[in-house]
Amino acid sequence: MHHPVVIPNVRSVVRHSLPKVIEGKVIPLLLFVGFLELFGNVWALLIALAWSFAAIGARAILGHRIPGLILLSTAALVGKTIAAIATGSMLVYFIQPTVTTVIVGVTFLVSVPLGHPLAQKLACDVFPFEESTRTHPLMEQFFVRLSVLWSFTSLVNAAVTVWLLLTQSITTFVLIKSVLGPATGIVTVTTMFLWLRVDLQRSGTPLVWARV
């Protein structure tokens, strides 16, 4: 019988992911907000970006695994900083998240041939997978597929966003964009999870939800 794929429970997910969320999301946000009034938009972004680069550099020097949440946060900050430095126009203000989406999409795609799918890093940041589950061949295949699909949907999302911004009113753009991002993520993850379920069933590998 194949070794089961175990999905962690909610309590262990929170305990495992919270420190990474604080390091990768909360601290950069607090730095940005804290220095915004003192130094302005660009310098506040640069300070938050410096924290993210320092976190990545320290982990690399110490030989520790770099969480995907920090990589993703850093990519987002790079996109925002580029847009902020470029100009302060309304067009660039709304195009700024799109620059981030493109950088994130490219990051997902580049991570696959490097042998470290970003989707796997993000999943391991959030879910404390057992070693046998994380290294399961079907799970590794799942993370590769998810990284590629997430890259594709991110780039499509960015292209649609630019088209909306250039052809629709600001009100229409904001309404559609507020739905487009979350919907894209939900469809991407749901599609790949259903694909994983089919692969597990075909191989006779049980899927187990861990107890608290």
Side-chain angles (χ1 to χ4, degrees), residues 118-151:
L118 183 54
Q120 186 177 33
K121 282 181 171 291
L122 290 173
C124 290
D125 288 346
V126 177
F127 299 100
F129 289 116
E130 295 180 358
E131 182 66 17
S132 58
T133 295
R134 187 183 63 80
T135 58
H136 194 288
L138 290 179
M139 288 297 293
E140 291 184 336
Q141 188 180 58
F142 164 76
F143 289 127
V144 169
R145 290 172 177 170
L146 181 57
S147 295
V148 173
L149 182 59
W150 203 291
S151 173

PDB file of all heavy atoms in Angstrom, residues 118-151:
ATOM      1  N   LEU A 118       8.414  27.494  -6.531  1.00  0.00           N
ATOM      2  CA  LEU A 118       7.996  28.460  -5.530  1.00  0.00           C
ATOM      3  C   LEU A 118       6.705  28.036  -4.844  1.00  0.00           C
ATOM      4  O   LEU A 118       6.505  28.313  -3.659  1.00  0.00           O
ATOM      5  CB  LEU A 118       7.819  29.842  -6.177  1.00  0.00           C
ATOM      6  CG  LEU A 118       7.459  30.996  -5.242  1.00  0.00           C
ATOM      7  CD1 LEU A 118       8.464  31.110  -4.098  1.00  0.00           C
ATOM      8  CD2 LEU A 118       7.388  32.303  -6.023  1.00  0.00           C
ATOM      9  N   ALA A 119       5.829  27.351  -5.570  1.00  0.00           N
ATOM     10  CA  ALA A 119       4.584  26.870  -4.965  1.00  0.00           C
ATOM     11  C   ALA A 119       4.870  25.929  -3.802  1.00  0.00           C
ATOM     12  O   ALA A 119       4.153  25.927  -2.798  1.00  0.00           O
ATOM     13  CB  ALA A 119       3.725  26.167  -6.020  1.00  0.00           C
ATOM     14  N   GLN A 120       5.914  25.127  -3.924  1.00  0.00           N
ATOM     15  CA  GLN A 120       6.280  24.207  -2.842  1.00  0.00           C
ATOM     16  C   GLN A 120       6.791  24.980  -1.627  1.00  0.00           C
ATOM     17  O   GLN A 120       6.449  24.662  -0.483  1.00  0.00           O
ATOM     18  CB  GLN A 120       7.335  23.223  -3.309  1.00  0.00           C
ATOM     19  CG  GLN A 120       7.675  22.149  -2.287  1.00  0.00           C
ATOM     20  CD  GLN A 120       8.675  21.133  -2.826  1.00  0.00           C
ATOM     21  OE1 GLN A 120       9.543  21.474  -3.621  1.00  0.00           O
ATOM     22  NE2 GLN A 120       8.525  19.891  -2.413  1.00  0.00           N
ATOM     23  N   LYS A 121       7.602  26.018  -1.878  1.00  0.00           N
ATOM     24  CA  LYS A 121       8.100  26.836  -0.777  1.00  0.00           C
ATOM     25  C   LYS A 121       6.948  27.498  -0.031  1.00  0.00           C
ATOM     26  O   LYS A 121       6.898  27.507   1.206  1.00  0.00           O
ATOM     27  CB  LYS A 121       9.059  27.917  -1.312  1.00  0.00           C
ATOM     28  CG  LYS A 121      10.457  27.426  -1.649  1.00  0.00           C
ATOM     29  CD  LYS A 121      11.313  28.567  -2.136  1.00  0.00           C
ATOM     30  CE  LYS A 121      12.778  28.150  -2.258  1.00  0.00           C
ATOM     31  NZ  LYS A 121      13.398  27.905  -0.934  1.00  0.00           N
ATOM     32  N   LEU A 122       5.999  28.062  -0.787  1.00  0.00           N
ATOM     33  CA  LEU A 122       4.866  28.730  -0.162  1.00  0.00           C
ATOM     34  C   LEU A 122       4.013  27.744   0.631  1.00  0.00           C
ATOM     35  O   LEU A 122       3.574  28.037   1.743  1.00  0.00           O
ATOM     36  CB  LEU A 122       4.016  29.418  -1.228  1.00  0.00           C
ATOM     37  CG  LEU A 122       4.646  30.640  -1.902  1.00  0.00           C
ATOM     38  CD1 LEU A 122       3.776  31.107  -3.050  1.00  0.00           C
ATOM     39  CD2 LEU A 122       4.845  31.761  -0.900  1.00  0.00           C
ATOM     40  N   ALA A 123       3.769  26.577   0.041  1.00  0.00           N
ATOM     41  CA  ALA A 123       2.949  25.565   0.718  1.00  0.00           C
ATOM     42  C   ALA A 123       3.621  25.105   2.009  1.00  0.00           C
ATOM     43  O   ALA A 123       2.957  24.929   3.039  1.00  0.00           O
ATOM     44  CB  ALA A 123       2.710  24.381  -0.207  1.00  0.00           C
ATOM     45  N   CYS A 124       4.940  24.934   1.977  1.00  0.00           N
ATOM     46  CA  CYS A 124       5.654  24.485   3.175  1.00  0.00           C
ATOM     47  C   CYS A 124       5.733  25.589   4.226  1.00  0.00           C
ATOM     48  O   CYS A 124       5.904  25.301   5.415  1.00  0.00           O
ATOM     49  CB  CYS A 124       7.062  24.018   2.800  1.00  0.00           C
ATOM     50  SG  CYS A 124       7.079  22.475   1.855  1.00  0.00           S
ATOM     51  N   ASP A 125       5.619  26.855   3.797  1.00  0.00           N
ATOM     52  CA  ASP A 125       5.561  27.955   4.760  1.00  0.00           C
ATOM     53  C   ASP A 125       4.250  27.923   5.529  1.00  0.00           C
ATOM     54  O   ASP A 125       4.190  28.281   6.704  1.00  0.00           O
ATOM     55  CB  ASP A 125       5.670  29.308   4.039  1.00  0.00           C
ATOM     56  CG  ASP A 125       7.074  29.566   3.522  1.00  0.00           C
ATOM     57  OD1 ASP A 125       7.989  28.844   3.953  1.00  0.00           O
ATOM     58  OD2 ASP A 125       7.245  30.468   2.686  1.00  0.00           O
ATOM     59  N   VAL A 126       3.178  27.523   4.852  1.00  0.00           N
ATOM     60  CA  VAL A 126       1.844  27.551   5.438  1.00  0.00           C
ATOM     61  C   VAL A 126       1.477  26.222   6.084  1.00  0.00           C
ATOM     62  O   VAL A 126       0.912  26.183   7.173  1.00  0.00           O
ATOM     63  CB  VAL A 126       0.792  27.933   4.379  1.00  0.00           C
ATOM     64  CG1 VAL A 126      -0.618  27.899   4.959  1.00  0.00           C
ATOM     65  CG2 VAL A 126       1.094  29.319   3.812  1.00  0.00           C
ATOM     66  N   PHE A 127       1.802  25.114   5.413  1.00  0.00           N
ATOM     67  CA  PHE A 127       1.404  23.791   5.884  1.00  0.00           C
ATOM     68  C   PHE A 127       2.623  23.008   6.389  1.00  0.00           C
ATOM     69  O   PHE A 127       3.585  22.808   5.628  1.00  0.00           O
ATOM     70  CB  PHE A 127       0.748  22.994   4.759  1.00  0.00           C
ATOM     71  CG  PHE A 127      -0.502  23.623   4.213  1.00  0.00           C
ATOM     72  CD1 PHE A 127      -0.470  24.357   3.040  1.00  0.00           C
ATOM     73  CD2 PHE A 127      -1.710  23.480   4.872  1.00  0.00           C
ATOM     74  CE1 PHE A 127      -1.607  24.939   2.532  1.00  0.00           C
ATOM     75  CE2 PHE A 127      -2.863  24.059   4.375  1.00  0.00           C
ATOM     76  CZ  PHE A 127      -2.809  24.793   3.201  1.00  0.00           C
ATOM     77  N   PRO A 128       2.606  22.565   7.651  1.00  0.00           N
ATOM     78  CA  PRO A 128       3.713  21.759   8.166  1.00  0.00           C
ATOM     79  C   PRO A 128       3.624  20.314   7.678  1.00  0.00           C
ATOM     80  O   PRO A 128       3.268  19.395   8.426  1.00  0.00           O
ATOM     81  CB  PRO A 128       3.524  21.859   9.688  1.00  0.00           C
ATOM     82  CG  PRO A 128       2.044  22.031   9.859  1.00  0.00           C
ATOM     83  CD  PRO A 128       1.590  22.851   8.684  1.00  0.00           C
ATOM     84  N   PHE A 129       3.930  20.107   6.410  1.00  0.00           N
ATOM     85  CA  PHE A 129       3.828  18.777   5.827  1.00  0.00           C
ATOM     86  C   PHE A 129       4.810  17.810   6.470  1.00  0.00           C
ATOM     87  O   PHE A 129       5.940  18.191   6.817  1.00  0.00           O
ATOM     88  CB  PHE A 129       4.110  18.815   4.316  1.00  0.00           C
ATOM     89  CG  PHE A 129       3.026  19.464   3.505  1.00  0.00           C
ATOM     90  CD1 PHE A 129       3.270  20.627   2.807  1.00  0.00           C
ATOM     91  CD2 PHE A 129       1.765  18.884   3.414  1.00  0.00           C
ATOM     92  CE1 PHE A 129       2.272  21.225   2.042  1.00  0.00           C
ATOM     93  CE2 PHE A 129       0.768  19.465   2.658  1.00  0.00           C
ATOM     94  CZ  PHE A 129       1.027  20.649   1.966  1.00  0.00           C
ATOM     95  N   GLU A 130       4.381  16.566   6.603  1.00  0.00           N
ATOM     96  CA  GLU A 130       5.323  15.522   6.991  1.00  0.00           C
ATOM     97  C   GLU A 130       6.339  15.340   5.867  1.00  0.00           C
ATOM     98  O   GLU A 130       6.044  15.586   4.696  1.00  0.00           O
ATOM     99  CB  GLU A 130       4.571  14.200   7.226  1.00  0.00           C
ATOM    100  CG  GLU A 130       3.605  14.250   8.398  1.00  0.00           C
ATOM    101  CD  GLU A 130       2.886  12.925   8.589  1.00  0.00           C
ATOM    102  OE1 GLU A 130       3.133  12.000   7.777  1.00  0.00           O
ATOM    103  OE2 GLU A 130       2.079  12.812   9.526  1.00  0.00           O
ATOM    104  N   GLU A 131       7.546  14.898   6.232  1.00  0.00           N
ATOM    105  CA  GLU A 131       8.608  14.746   5.232  1.00  0.00           C
ATOM    106  C   GLU A 131       8.190  13.789   4.127  1.00  0.00           C
ATOM    107  O   GLU A 131       8.459  14.017   2.946  1.00  0.00           O
ATOM    108  CB  GLU A 131       9.885  14.247   5.918  1.00  0.00           C
ATOM    109  CG  GLU A 131      11.080  14.099   4.972  1.00  0.00           C
ATOM    110  CD  GLU A 131      11.563  15.425   4.412  1.00  0.00           C
ATOM    111  OE1 GLU A 131      11.202  16.475   4.974  1.00  0.00           O
ATOM    112  OE2 GLU A 131      12.297  15.404   3.411  1.00  0.00           O
ATOM    113  N   SER A 132       7.500  12.693   4.498  1.00  0.00           N
ATOM    114  CA  SER A 132       7.075  11.710   3.506  1.00  0.00           C
ATOM    115  C   SER A 132       6.053  12.295   2.543  1.00  0.00           C
ATOM    116  O   SER A 132       5.989  11.903   1.370  1.00  0.00           O
ATOM    117  CB  SER A 132       6.482  10.476   4.203  1.00  0.00           C
ATOM    118  OG  SER A 132       5.378  10.848   5.023  1.00  0.00           O
ATOM    119  N   THR A 133       5.240  13.250   3.032  1.00  0.00           N
ATOM    120  CA  THR A 133       4.256  13.902   2.162  1.00  0.00           C
ATOM    121  C   THR A 133       4.927  14.929   1.267  1.00  0.00           C
ATOM    122  O   THR A 133       4.662  14.992   0.063  1.00  0.00           O
ATOM    123  CB  THR A 133       3.164  14.596   3.010  1.00  0.00           C
ATOM    124  OG1 THR A 133       2.430  13.591   3.724  1.00  0.00           O
ATOM    125  CG2 THR A 133       2.206  15.389   2.134  1.00  0.00           C
ATOM    126  N   ARG A 134       5.813  15.739   1.842  1.00  0.00           N
ATOM    127  CA  ARG A 134       6.479  16.797   1.076  1.00  0.00           C
ATOM    128  C   ARG A 134       7.313  16.233  -0.068  1.00  0.00           C
ATOM    129  O   ARG A 134       7.389  16.825  -1.141  1.00  0.00           O
ATOM    130  CB  ARG A 134       7.357  17.630   2.011  1.00  0.00           C
ATOM    131  CG  ARG A 134       7.962  18.865   1.359  1.00  0.00           C
ATOM    132  CD  ARG A 134       8.872  19.598   2.335  1.00  0.00           C
ATOM    133  NE  ARG A 134       9.999  18.783   2.715  1.00  0.00           N
ATOM    134  CZ  ARG A 134      11.095  18.625   1.957  1.00  0.00           C
ATOM    135  NH1 ARG A 134      11.179  19.212   0.786  1.00  0.00           N
ATOM    136  NH2 ARG A 134      12.091  17.873   2.372  1.00  0.00           N
ATOM    137  N   THR A 135       7.945  15.080   0.170  1.00  0.00           N
ATOM    138  CA  THR A 135       8.825  14.499  -0.850  1.00  0.00           C
ATOM    139  C   THR A 135       8.125  13.433  -1.688  1.00  0.00           C
ATOM    140  O   THR A 135       8.775  12.776  -2.504  1.00  0.00           O
ATOM    141  CB  THR A 135      10.059  13.873  -0.173  1.00  0.00           C
ATOM    142  OG1 THR A 135       9.638  12.871   0.771  1.00  0.00           O
ATOM    143  CG2 THR A 135      10.870  14.932   0.547  1.00  0.00           C
ATOM    144  N   HIS A 136       6.831  13.249  -1.478  1.00  0.00           N
ATOM    145  CA  HIS A 136       6.086  12.269  -2.268  1.00  0.00           C
ATOM    146  C   HIS A 136       6.157  12.660  -3.751  1.00  0.00           C
ATOM    147  O   HIS A 136       5.943  13.840  -4.088  1.00  0.00           O
ATOM    148  CB  HIS A 136       4.631  12.217  -1.800  1.00  0.00           C
ATOM    149  CG  HIS A 136       3.874  11.026  -2.302  1.00  0.00           C
ATOM    150  ND1 HIS A 136       3.476  10.891  -3.616  1.00  0.00           N
ATOM    151  CD2 HIS A 136       3.444   9.904  -1.667  1.00  0.00           C
ATOM    152  CE1 HIS A 136       2.839   9.759  -3.773  1.00  0.00           C
ATOM    153  NE2 HIS A 136       2.813   9.131  -2.600  1.00  0.00           N
ATOM    154  N   PRO A 137       6.461  11.739  -4.653  1.00  0.00           N
ATOM    155  CA  PRO A 137       6.594  12.076  -6.079  1.00  0.00           C
ATOM    156  C   PRO A 137       5.379  12.804  -6.652  1.00  0.00           C
ATOM    157  O   PRO A 137       5.530  13.745  -7.439  1.00  0.00           O
ATOM    158  CB  PRO A 137       6.775  10.708  -6.736  1.00  0.00           C
ATOM    159  CG  PRO A 137       7.383   9.854  -5.668  1.00  0.00           C
ATOM    160  CD  PRO A 137       6.773  10.324  -4.389  1.00  0.00           C
ATOM    161  N   LEU A 138       4.180  12.387  -6.261  1.00  0.00           N
ATOM    162  CA  LEU A 138       2.980  13.044  -6.775  1.00  0.00           C
ATOM    163  C   LEU A 138       2.839  14.465  -6.232  1.00  0.00           C
ATOM    164  O   LEU A 138       2.357  15.363  -6.928  1.00  0.00           O
ATOM    165  CB  LEU A 138       1.733  12.224  -6.432  1.00  0.00           C
ATOM    166  CG  LEU A 138       1.578  10.895  -7.175  1.00  0.00           C
ATOM    167  CD1 LEU A 138       0.318  10.162  -6.726  1.00  0.00           C
ATOM    168  CD2 LEU A 138       1.524  11.139  -8.688  1.00  0.00           C
ATOM    169  N   MET A 139       3.272  14.679  -4.989  1.00  0.00           N
ATOM    170  CA  MET A 139       3.230  16.026  -4.426  1.00  0.00           C
ATOM    171  C   MET A 139       4.266  16.925  -5.092  1.00  0.00           C
ATOM    172  O   MET A 139       3.997  18.105  -5.378  1.00  0.00           O
ATOM    173  CB  MET A 139       3.470  15.976  -2.914  1.00  0.00           C
ATOM    174  CG  MET A 139       2.317  15.408  -2.112  1.00  0.00           C
ATOM    175  SD  MET A 139       0.812  16.406  -2.239  1.00  0.00           S
ATOM    176  CE  MET A 139       1.315  17.904  -1.387  1.00  0.00           C
ATOM    177  N   GLU A 140       5.443  16.393  -5.348  1.00  0.00           N
ATOM    178  CA  GLU A 140       6.463  17.188  -6.032  1.00  0.00           C
ATOM    179  C   GLU A 140       5.993  17.559  -7.439  1.00  0.00           C
ATOM    180  O   GLU A 140       6.214  18.678  -7.912  1.00  0.00           O
ATOM    181  CB  GLU A 140       7.778  16.403  -6.084  1.00  0.00           C
ATOM    182  CG  GLU A 140       8.434  16.235  -4.717  1.00  0.00           C
ATOM    183  CD  GLU A 140       9.773  15.541  -4.797  1.00  0.00           C
ATOM    184  OE1 GLU A 140       9.992  14.800  -5.787  1.00  0.00           O
ATOM    185  OE2 GLU A 140      10.603  15.749  -3.888  1.00  0.00           O
ATOM    186  N   GLN A 141       5.344  16.606  -8.114  1.00  0.00           N
ATOM    187  CA  GLN A 141       4.778  16.886  -9.431  1.00  0.00           C
ATOM    188  C   GLN A 141       3.677  17.936  -9.333  1.00  0.00           C
ATOM    189  O   GLN A 141       3.565  18.828 -10.192  1.00  0.00           O
ATOM    190  CB  GLN A 141       4.221  15.583 -10.030  1.00  0.00           C
ATOM    191  CG  GLN A 141       3.762  15.691 -11.471  1.00  0.00           C
ATOM    192  CD  GLN A 141       3.238  14.368 -11.983  1.00  0.00           C
ATOM    193  OE1 GLN A 141       2.299  13.796 -11.434  1.00  0.00           O
ATOM    194  NE2 GLN A 141       3.855  13.862 -13.033  1.00  0.00           N
ATOM    195  N   PHE A 142       2.884  17.854  -8.279  1.00  0.00           N
ATOM    196  CA  PHE A 142       1.811  18.813  -8.047  1.00  0.00           C
ATOM    197  C   PHE A 142       2.371  20.224  -7.893  1.00  0.00           C
ATOM    198  O   PHE A 142       1.844  21.188  -8.475  1.00  0.00           O
ATOM    199  CB  PHE A 142       1.033  18.412  -6.793  1.00  0.00           C
ATOM    200  CG  PHE A 142       0.162  19.497  -6.216  1.00  0.00           C
ATOM    201  CD1 PHE A 142      -1.046  19.831  -6.799  1.00  0.00           C
ATOM    202  CD2 PHE A 142       0.576  20.183  -5.075  1.00  0.00           C
ATOM    203  CE1 PHE A 142      -1.850  20.834  -6.263  1.00  0.00           C
ATOM    204  CE2 PHE A 142      -0.221  21.179  -4.532  1.00  0.00           C
ATOM    205  CZ  PHE A 142      -1.429  21.504  -5.135  1.00  0.00           C
ATOM    206  N   PHE A 143       3.444  20.392  -7.137  1.00  0.00           N
ATOM    207  CA  PHE A 143       4.024  21.711  -6.906  1.00  0.00           C
ATOM    208  C   PHE A 143       4.631  22.290  -8.184  1.00  0.00           C
ATOM    209  O   PHE A 143       4.578  23.508  -8.400  1.00  0.00           O
ATOM    210  CB  PHE A 143       5.070  21.644  -5.798  1.00  0.00           C
ATOM    211  CG  PHE A 143       4.488  21.429  -4.426  1.00  0.00           C
ATOM    212  CD1 PHE A 143       4.945  20.396  -3.617  1.00  0.00           C
ATOM    213  CD2 PHE A 143       3.474  22.255  -3.955  1.00  0.00           C
ATOM    214  CE1 PHE A 143       4.409  20.204  -2.350  1.00  0.00           C
ATOM    215  CE2 PHE A 143       2.929  22.069  -2.689  1.00  0.00           C
ATOM    216  CZ  PHE A 143       3.392  21.042  -1.888  1.00  0.00           C
ATOM    217  N   VAL A 144       5.213  21.436  -9.011  1.00  0.00           N
ATOM    218  CA  VAL A 144       5.747  21.910 -10.296  1.00  0.00           C
ATOM    219  C   VAL A 144       4.608  22.420 -11.172  1.00  0.00           C
ATOM    220  O   VAL A 144       4.678  23.512 -11.752  1.00  0.00           O
ATOM    221  CB  VAL A 144       6.523  20.785 -11.010  1.00  0.00           C
ATOM    222  CG1 VAL A 144       6.851  21.194 -12.446  1.00  0.00           C
ATOM    223  CG2 VAL A 144       7.812  20.465 -10.250  1.00  0.00           C
ATOM    224  N   ARG A 145       3.545  21.637 -11.278  1.00  0.00           N
ATOM    225  CA  ARG A 145       2.394  22.038 -12.093  1.00  0.00           C
ATOM    226  C   ARG A 145       1.772  23.325 -11.558  1.00  0.00           C
ATOM    227  O   ARG A 145       1.412  24.222 -12.337  1.00  0.00           O
ATOM    228  CB  ARG A 145       1.343  20.921 -12.091  1.00  0.00           C
ATOM    229  CG  ARG A 145       1.743  19.673 -12.864  1.00  0.00           C
ATOM    230  CD  ARG A 145       0.711  18.589 -12.626  1.00  0.00           C
ATOM    231  NE  ARG A 145       0.986  17.378 -13.378  1.00  0.00           N
ATOM    232  CZ  ARG A 145       0.348  16.237 -13.201  1.00  0.00           C
ATOM    233  NH1 ARG A 145      -0.605  16.137 -12.274  1.00  0.00           N
ATOM    234  NH2 ARG A 145       0.639  15.171 -13.928  1.00  0.00           N
ATOM    235  N   LEU A 146       1.649  23.413 -10.233  1.00  0.00           N
ATOM    236  CA  LEU A 146       1.037  24.584  -9.630  1.00  0.00           C
ATOM    237  C   LEU A 146       1.883  25.831  -9.890  1.00  0.00           C
ATOM    238  O   LEU A 146       1.336  26.911 -10.163  1.00  0.00           O
ATOM    239  CB  LEU A 146       0.869  24.376  -8.123  1.00  0.00           C
ATOM    240  CG  LEU A 146       0.206  25.524  -7.347  1.00  0.00           C
ATOM    241  CD1 LEU A 146      -1.172  25.840  -7.919  1.00  0.00           C
ATOM    242  CD2 LEU A 146       0.097  25.171  -5.863  1.00  0.00           C
ATOM    243  N   SER A 147       3.196  25.712  -9.810  1.00  0.00           N
ATOM    244  CA  SER A 147       4.076  26.847 -10.077  1.00  0.00           C
ATOM    245  C   SER A 147       3.925  27.333 -11.515  1.00  0.00           C
ATOM    246  O   SER A 147       3.846  28.542 -11.777  1.00  0.00           O
ATOM    247  CB  SER A 147       5.538  26.461  -9.807  1.00  0.00           C
ATOM    248  OG  SER A 147       5.754  26.182  -8.444  1.00  0.00           O
ATOM    249  N   VAL A 148       3.887  26.384 -12.455  1.00  0.00           N
ATOM    250  CA  VAL A 148       3.742  26.755 -13.864  1.00  0.00           C
ATOM    251  C   VAL A 148       2.380  27.394 -14.115  1.00  0.00           C
ATOM    252  O   VAL A 148       2.281  28.434 -14.786  1.00  0.00           O
ATOM    253  CB  VAL A 148       3.931  25.518 -14.774  1.00  0.00           C
ATOM    254  CG1 VAL A 148       3.609  25.867 -16.227  1.00  0.00           C
ATOM    255  CG2 VAL A 148       5.359  24.987 -14.663  1.00  0.00           C
ATOM    256  N   LEU A 149       1.322  26.776 -13.581  1.00  0.00           N
ATOM    257  CA  LEU A 149      -0.022  27.316 -13.795  1.00  0.00           C
ATOM    258  C   LEU A 149      -0.166  28.679 -13.130  1.00  0.00           C
ATOM    259  O   LEU A 149      -0.780  29.593 -13.694  1.00  0.00           O
ATOM    260  CB  LEU A 149      -1.070  26.348 -13.250  1.00  0.00           C
ATOM    261  CG  LEU A 149      -2.537  26.768 -13.455  1.00  0.00           C
ATOM    262  CD1 LEU A 149      -2.832  26.946 -14.943  1.00  0.00           C
ATOM    263  CD2 LEU A 149      -3.494  25.736 -12.851  1.00  0.00           C
ATOM    264  N   TRP A 150       0.401  28.845 -11.925  1.00  0.00           N
ATOM    265  CA  TRP A 150       0.304  30.124 -11.231  1.00  0.00           C
ATOM    266  C   TRP A 150       1.036  31.210 -12.021  1.00  0.00           C
ATOM    267  O   TRP A 150       0.585  32.363 -12.091  1.00  0.00           O
ATOM    268  CB  TRP A 150       0.881  30.021  -9.831  1.00  0.00           C
ATOM    269  CG  TRP A 150       0.335  31.064  -8.906  1.00  0.00           C
ATOM    270  CD1 TRP A 150       0.566  32.408  -8.944  1.00  0.00           C
ATOM    271  CD2 TRP A 150      -0.577  30.859  -7.822  1.00  0.00           C
ATOM    272  NE1 TRP A 150      -0.132  33.045  -7.964  1.00  0.00           N
ATOM    273  CE2 TRP A 150      -0.842  32.122  -7.255  1.00  0.00           C
ATOM    274  CE3 TRP A 150      -1.178  29.726  -7.267  1.00  0.00           C
ATOM    275  CZ2 TRP A 150      -1.679  32.292  -6.160  1.00  0.00           C
ATOM    276  CZ3 TRP A 150      -2.021  29.901  -6.179  1.00  0.00           C
ATOM    277  CH2 TRP A 150      -2.255  31.159  -5.642  1.00  0.00           C
ATOM    278  N   SER A 151       2.163  30.845 -12.613  1.00  0.00           N
ATOM    279  CA  SER A 151       2.890  31.791 -13.460  1.00  0.00           C
ATOM    280  C   SER A 151       2.038  32.217 -14.646  1.00  0.00           C
ATOM    281  O   SER A 151       1.917  33.410 -14.958  1.00  0.00           O
ATOM    282  CB  SER A 151       4.196  31.162 -13.953  1.00  0.00           C
ATOM    283  OG  SER A 151       4.827  31.997 -14.887  1.00  0.00           O
TER     284      SER A 151
END
